[in-house]
Amino acid sequence: MQQVLVLNASYEPLNVTSVRRAHVLVFKGKAEVIEELERPLTSASSTFPWPHVIRLVTYVRVPRAVKRKISRRALFARDGWRCVYCGTASGRLTLDHVVPRSRGGDSVWENVVTSCAPCNLRKGDRLLAEAKMELRSPPRPPAPVLFISLAAQTIPRGWQPYLHGFGGSSATATATA
Ligand SMILES: [Zn+2]
């Protein structure tokens, strides 16, 4: 299924949608087509450009505090599929609460990290200082681009210029024509 990248009026990537929904937004004048595919979109009576990247005409305010649910996949992707403590990318990855739940730690992006099973076991129910372990960088909520990458099976080549500079990593993106 072909997907369409949706940009805010500011060109910031917002999300991924279906061709049908993108076309409705364009048809209603709520969005403009920035990139189109060479094939036309045909209906019974007319043809339209096949949207590939669209841009909303009106800026949509996206609250920074917007709570995206934590999923294992998104969390592992945010942390580059590596243990944040020892850096290993092999073995079984687990979710670790930096401040353990038993010590009042919340299940929020700022408190949950990717950990290999041995590091998770070593840390146990302790705080970082108690376990003499460190985080390389403080965990943060991921950029919207991460969810775009996860929602799309592959990142089409035509999207890449629009994701660049918004936290999109070309290393993890698979280019397709
Ligand atoms: Zn580890």
Side-chain angles (χ1 to χ4, degrees), residues 82-88 93 114-120 122 133:
R82 290 178 173 278
C83 172
V84 297
Y85 299 117
C86 72
T88 185
L93 294 176
T114 306
S115 169
C116 70
C119 283
N120 201 335
R122 184 157 77 88
M133 293 166 79

Side-chain angles (χ1 to χ4, degrees), residues 7-52:
L7 307 177
N8 210 337
S10 61
Y11 286 90
E12 184 176 355
L14 274 184
N15 54 37
V16 171
T17 193
S18 65
V19 170
R20 179 202 265 282
R21 290 186 59 186
H23 177 65
V24 169
L25 286 171
V26 172
F27 193 72
K28 287 184 171 173
K30 296 190 171 174
E32 59 174 346
V33 177
I34 299 283
E35 296 279 341
E36 59 187 82
L37 295 184
E38 281 177 17
R39 69 192 112 150
L41 195 60
T42 51
S43 75
S45 53
S46 4
T47 62
F48 305 94
W50 187 296
H52 193 43

Side-chain angles (χ1 to χ4, degrees), residues 76-99:
F76 292 167
R78 181 198 68 180
D79 295 336
W81 303 88
R82 290 178 173 278
C83 172
V84 297
Y85 299 117
C86 72
T88 185
S90 59
R92 192 166 65 86
L93 294 176
T94 65
L95 301 187
D96 178 57
H97 284 69
V98 178
V99 176

Side-chain angles (χ1 to χ4, degrees), residues 44-167:
S45 53
S46 4
T47 62
F48 305 94
W50 187 296
H52 193 43
V53 179
I54 63 168
R55 172 178 170 256
L56 299 181
V57 172
T58 312
Y59 183 77
V60 176
R61 184 167 289 281
V62 186
R64 272 290 158 226
V66 69
K67 294 286 184 223
R68 297 265 200 173
K69 267 179 63 184
I70 294 183
S71 69
R72 300 174 76 83
R73 195 160 162 256
L75 195 92
F76 292 167
R78 181 198 68 180
D79 295 336
W81 303 88
R82 290 178 173 278
C83 172
V84 297
Y85 299 117
C86 72
T88 185
S90 59
R92 192 166 65 86
L93 294 176
T94 65
L95 301 187
D96 178 57
H97 284 69
V98 178
V99 176
R101 270 180 289 194
S102 61
R103 311 281 287 264
D106 286 329
S107 297
V108 293
W109 290 107
E110 293 84 351
N111 192 47
V112 185
V113 293
T114 306
S115 169
C116 70
C119 283
N120 201 335
L121 198 64
R122 184 157 77 88
K123 181 163 167 289
D125 256 1
R126 296 180 294 174
L127 299 174
L128 288 176
E130 294 167 357
K132 298 197 165 42
M133 293 166 79
E134 300 194 329
L135 284 169
R136 290 147 192 235
S137 57
R140 296 208 178 88
V145 166
L146 180 99
F147 297 97
I148 291 169
S149 309
L150 291 175
Q153 295 298 316
T154 53
I155 300 294
R157 205 183 299 278
W159 292 9
Q160 287 180 3
Y162 301 94
L163 299 179
H164 192 77
F166 288 98

